[in-house]
Amino acid sequence: MKPPIAPHDSARLAGASLDALSADPPLVQANAITKVFDVSAPWLNRMIEGRPRQDLLAVDDVSFSIRRGETLALVGESGCGKSTVARLLVGLHEASAGSILFDGQDLSTLSSAQASRLRRRLQMIFQDPYASLNPRWTVADIIAEPIRVHRLLPDAKSIGERVTQLLEQVGLTGADASRYPHQFSGGQRQRISIARALASQPEFLVCDEPTSALDVSVQAQVLNLMRDLQREHGLTYLFISHNLAVIHHVSDRVGVMYLGRIVELASRDELFAQPRHPYTRMLLDAIPDIDMSGRSRVPVAGEVPSALDPPSGCRFHPRCPHANDRCTRERPMLAPCAGASTVLVACHAVAEGRL
């Protein structure tokens, strides 16, 4: 049996498949990032009731790399930590442990001026186009805000021309600049959000379920627009979603998350053709078998445990049909899968050849 992998090696292993494919350094590198939220009751309530402090481990030792021009997708059930990872990357949350490198620079070590200059190169598209746009601002003000904040253009005329150009890039018109968000449909609002994200000329976009609030037909339009923009501008994406059809359409590599941890990391084609981790198999088995292939499916019982009191060992073991005593005691680490060095799996059953 191979010796157990130390937790601090997870960042190195998560980059193993990346290094095998490209000699260039990644644009984004997350090294064992962890985020703990204090969800304790107010101090007075705890003193009166004798209750202890309570922490929620939303992200636990997550590592991955993203090459320039690549789309890495994170998928998992609600509450698995996908959106927290997204907010950590753009600086909306501060990591409790670990580091995030952008173009080789550790974001946590930068001064405010350095961070401001660097963060111009990474932007975020939020899930809800109804809530992410200021209803009191015109579209022109919304899109121009990053340009003004980062002082990218010298005067109002050039800013106005740039706003018109951005609107046309996302399929709207310059005349829409004087309108307000409530005058647009959901798909049009998300196009405005994309235009705003592109205003600072970023290299990296974090897309937090950008189509989940849209109708299916509109989802396809927005996804195709994002792929076109990626090809045109050489953008790099981290794409967050729980929709496997969307993930298959947009991603190059896929990371599967469960209760704050990545349990499988592989190329899109390998993951959909041959899922290794039992949780990944469960997610894919939930997709209706339209082709009537007759492939056997193993049902997985139970509910997602509370993140306030996660299971010991492998967090998936209470729902896993392949779990044994080791799974209840020992945490599995991401490691290359036998016969597929570019696939990383955190599963004792896979490592032992039982699955």
Side-chain angles (χ1 to χ4, degrees), residues 33 67 75 131 151 159 164-165 167 169 189 195 219 241 259-260 291 296 323-324:
I33 54 173
R67 298 190 304 274
V75 64
R151 300 178 182 178
I159 291 175
T164 299
Q165 180 187 25
L167 285 170
Q169 280 186 343
R189 293 186 197 189
Q219 283 186 20
S241 182
L259 276 183
D291 296 331
S296 61
N324 61 13

Side-chain angles (χ1 to χ4, degrees), residues 18-300:
L18 180 74
D19 296 337
L21 296 174
S22 173
D24 297 330
L27 179 64
V28 179
Q29 177 83 49
N31 297 318
I33 54 173
T34 296
K35 180 60 182 177
V36 179
F37 291 103
D38 184 352
V39 294
S40 307
W43 176 83
L44 185 58
N45 292 59
R46 288 189 282 114
M47 291 300 101
I48 294 174
E49 300 169 12
R51 294 162 58 185
R53 296 177 64 90
Q54 193 168 31
D55 291 331
L56 187 149
L57 186 57
V59 176
D60 184 10
D61 193 30
V62 166
S63 300
F64 55 83
S65 300
I66 312 177
R67 298 190 304 274
R68 293 179 187 274
E70 181 187 37
T71 299
L72 172 67
L74 291 182
V75 64
E77 294 169 289
S78 296
C80 71
K82 307 183 301 294
S83 293
T84 303
V85 170
R87 284 160 170 74
L88 287 169
L89 291 187
V90 296
L92 294 178
H93 293 323
E94 184 177 347
S96 305
S99 63
I100 298 169
L101 277 64
F102 181 80
D103 201 11
Q105 294 182 275
D106 189 338
L107 297 181
S108 65
T109 64
L110 301 178
S111 66
S112 340
Q114 290 173 321
S116 178
R117 286 193 296 270
L118 192 62
R119 288 199 169 98
R120 177 187 68 77
R121 300 165 58 192
L122 53 95
Q123 293 292 323
M124 185 167 181
I125 301 172
F126 293 91
Q127 176 178 353
D128 187 357
Y130 296 89
S132 61
L133 303 177
N134 190 329
R136 296 178 177 84
W137 286 12
T138 64
V139 169
D141 291 330
I142 290 170
I143 297 176
E145 183 188 20
I147 301 174
R148 294 193 178 104
V149 167
H150 295 290
R151 300 178 182 178
L152 301 179
L153 293 173
D155 53 57
K157 181 181 177 182
S158 55
I159 291 175
E161 291 172 351
R162 176 62 175 157
V163 168
T164 299
Q165 180 187 25
L166 288 165
L167 285 170
E168 292 173 350
Q169 280 186 343
V170 298
L172 300 174
T173 67
D176 292 322
S178 61
R179 300 169 66 189
Y180 289 85
H182 73 271
Q183 297 175 281
F184 295 89
S185 68
Q188 290 172 322
R189 293 186 197 189
Q190 199 61 291
R191 289 171 184 263
I192 294 168
S193 298
I194 294 171
R196 176 181 60 185
L198 294 175
S200 65
Q201 300 176 324
E203 300 168 41
F204 176 53
L205 286 181
V206 176
C207 311
D208 186 11
E209 304 211 36
T211 61
S212 64
L214 307 177
D215 294 337
V216 174
S217 60
V218 180
Q219 283 186 20
Q221 295 173 15
V222 172
L223 290 173
N224 289 331
L225 169 65
M226 294 180 67
R227 293 187 68 178
D228 292 342
L229 292 170
Q230 184 176 34
R231 285 192 293 265
E232 182 180 346
H233 298 284
L235 297 170
T236 303
Y237 289 153
L238 174 69
F239 202 97
I240 309 291
S241 182
H242 63 273
N243 187 325
L244 287 169
V246 169
I247 292 296
H248 189 273
H249 183 67
V250 303
S251 65
D252 297 305
R253 287 189 303 135
V254 182
V256 181
M257 290 192 68
Y258 186 78
L259 276 183
R261 298 174 179 170
I262 290 182
V263 296
E264 185 165 356
L265 185 62
S267 70
R268 175 197 62 192
D269 293 341
E270 275 198 281
L271 184 129
F272 279 86
Q274 189 178 355
R276 268 81 172 184
H277 196 280
Y279 179 61
T280 309
R281 296 185 179 192
M282 183 197 80
L283 292 178
L284 294 180
D285 283 348
I287 302 175
D289 188 3
I290 297 175
D291 296 331
M292 303 293 289
S293 64
R295 177 171 61 90
S296 61
R297 300 186 177 206
V298 179
V300 179

